[in-house]
């Protein structure tokens, strides 16, 4: 078993990386600082939303997997998905990243690659 950084530390590092690169990163819902899961909403110039979270890939390794509604302009659908996820997991962090490199930053920071 590998040691993971606390979720609050990972979220803070991810937000700093995105903001320092000229993008915009913000916390939509604060989760458990130690062990909360992290749901990432990525956007490119305010559009093209995609949800990503840590999961297990086909080869059994840890990866970011796509979840929730994708490529929709319906903000209500996006916020309802976040709210549903938080109801079922109140420790969940929900963060939004608006940057052309958001997915790369998420993979590098959350997965440590």
């Amino acid at each position: 078993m590998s040691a993971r950084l606390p979720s609050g530390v990972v979220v803070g590092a991810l937000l700093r990386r995105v903001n320092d690169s000229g993008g915009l990163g913000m916390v939509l819902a604060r989760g458990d600082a130690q062990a909360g899961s992290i749901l990432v909403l990525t956007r490119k110039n305010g559009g093209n939303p995609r949800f990503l979270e840590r999961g297990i890939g086909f080869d059994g390794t840890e990866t970011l997997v796509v979840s929730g509604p994708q490529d929709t302009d319906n903000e209500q659908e996006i916020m309802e998905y976040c709210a549903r996820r938080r109801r079922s997991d109140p420790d969940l962090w929900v963060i939004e990243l608006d940057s052309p490199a958001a997915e790369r930053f998420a993979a590098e920071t959350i997965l440590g690659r």
Side-chain angles (χ1 to χ4, degrees), residues 7 13-14 17 26 43 57 66 75-76 78 81 85 88 91 105 113:
S7 299
L14 182 53
R17 288 190 71 192
M26 66 189 108
R43 297 182 188 263
V66 176
E75 289 299 316
Q76 182 176 352
I78 291 169
Y81 177 72
R85 291 293 307 275
S88 67
D91 293 334
F105 286 146
R113 295 182 188 155

Side-chain angles (χ1 to χ4, degrees), residues 14-84:
L14 182 53
L15 295 177
R16 275 190 301 281
R17 288 190 71 192
V18 170
N19 290 330
D20 288 350
S21 74
L24 177 64
M26 66 189 108
V27 175
L28 300 180
R30 187 172 303 276
D32 182 76
Q34 292 301 311
S37 297
I38 303 169
L39 178 65
V40 180
L41 171 59
T42 64
R43 297 182 188 263
K44 293 179 183 166
N45 296 321
N48 197 28
R50 285 174 47 100
F51 282 101
L52 303 170
E53 59 188 308
R54 187 180 308 195
I56 303 298
F58 292 115
D59 60 358
T61 63
E62 202 171 64
T63 188
L64 287 183
V65 295
V66 176
S67 67
Q70 306 294 322
D71 303 320
T72 179
D73 291 331
N74 186 336
E75 289 299 316
Q76 182 176 352
E77 182 181 5
I78 291 169
M79 291 302 115
E80 285 174 357
Y81 177 72
C82 293
R84 269 194 322 272

